[in-house]
């Protein structure tokens, strides 16, 4: 299981929403081996005045927060982060300095979906990649 939260300034993020979502999903499918039909993205549009950013970034700055069931190797997570940087930069046009990524993991038993806990459900994809 994985969900993605994407934060950014509304005027900057809204025009690239669909393209950014497609790039993120492509990376997740490739690296985490998710099914094509398994996309859970939520966009959080902030007013410029409500999004305090480091002085080293532009108004295009975005934060990607991945919530995942634990089980992926360190190398898999690093590969995902590197591919996200590469493709968001080349395909969406965001500067590397305007992309921040965080992966947050929790045990399967902390998740609940389809009426069950994550450690009880039979997933159609692998977690231990």
């Amino acid at each position: 299981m994985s969900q993605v939260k994407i934060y950014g300034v509304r005027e900057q993020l809204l025009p690239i929403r669909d393209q950014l979502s497609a790039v993120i999903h492509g990376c997740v499918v490739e690296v985490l081996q998710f099914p094509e039909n398994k996309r859970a993205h939520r966009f959080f549009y902030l007013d410029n005045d409500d999004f305090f950013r480091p002085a080293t970034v532009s108004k295009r700055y975005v934060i990607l927060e991945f919530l995942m069931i634990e089980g992926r190797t360190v190398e898999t997570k690093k590969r995902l982060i590197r591919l996200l940087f590469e493709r968001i930069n080349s395909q969406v046009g965001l500067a590397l300095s305007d992309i921040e990524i965080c992966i947050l993991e929790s045990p399967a038993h902390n998740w609940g979906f389809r009426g069950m806990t994550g450690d009880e459900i039979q997933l159609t994809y692998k977690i231990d990649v």
Side-chain angles (χ1 to χ4, degrees), residues 43-96:
F43 284 81
F44 293 84
Y45 302 104
L46 302 166
D47 291 333
N48 187 52
D49 292 342
D50 293 328
F51 194 24
F52 293 87
R53 300 175 298 278
T56 55
V57 304
S58 78
K59 288 183 180 180
R60 297 190 77 203
Y61 175 70
V62 295
I63 298 172
L64 308 179
E65 186 176 280
F66 287 77
L67 305 171
M68 300 192 304
I69 291 176
E70 65 185 7
R72 281 88 182 183
T73 66
V74 170
E75 189 49 47
T76 295
K77 292 179 277 189
K78 286 183 172 186
R79 200 166 68 241
L80 176 62
I81 290 170
R82 288 183 186 114
L83 190 61
L84 286 162
F85 276 129
E86 175 190 317
R87 290 195 182 159
I88 292 170
N89 176 252
S90 67
Q91 296 178 26
V92 182
L94 290 179
L96 295 175

Side-chain angles (χ1 to χ4, degrees), residues 9-123:
V9 173
R10 175 181 301 280
E11 294 79 19
Q12 302 297 322
L13 187 54
L14 191 57
I16 62 169
R17 179 193 64 202
D18 293 345
Q19 184 182 20
L20 182 57
S21 180
V23 169
I24 292 168
H25 188 60
C27 292
V28 167
V29 168
E30 183 174 328
V31 176
L32 301 182
Q33 302 174 14
F34 268 43
E36 279 288 336
N37 65 348
K38 186 80 174 148
R39 186 187 309 203
H41 297 175
R42 295 184 303 268
F43 284 81
F44 293 84
Y45 302 104
L46 302 166
D47 291 333
N48 187 52
D49 292 342
D50 293 328
F51 194 24
F52 293 87
R53 300 175 298 278
T56 55
V57 304
S58 78
K59 288 183 180 180
R60 297 190 77 203
Y61 175 70
V62 295
I63 298 172
L64 308 179
E65 186 176 280
F66 287 77
L67 305 171
M68 300 192 304
I69 291 176
E70 65 185 7
R72 281 88 182 183
T73 66
V74 170
E75 189 49 47
T76 295
K77 292 179 277 189
K78 286 183 172 186
R79 200 166 68 241
L80 176 62
I81 290 170
R82 288 183 186 114
L83 190 61
L84 286 162
F85 276 129
E86 175 190 317
R87 290 195 182 159
I88 292 170
N89 176 252
S90 67
Q91 296 178 26
V92 182
L94 290 179
L96 295 175
S97 60
D98 283 337
I99 306 164
E100 187 169 318
I101 302 164
C102 181
I103 296 175
L104 304 169
E105 296 179 296
S106 65
H109 63 265
N110 285 356
W111 287 75
F113 47 96
R114 293 186 241 151
M116 301 161 85
T117 60
D119 60 339
E120 297 171 333
I121 203 158
Q122 182 65 39
L123 297 173

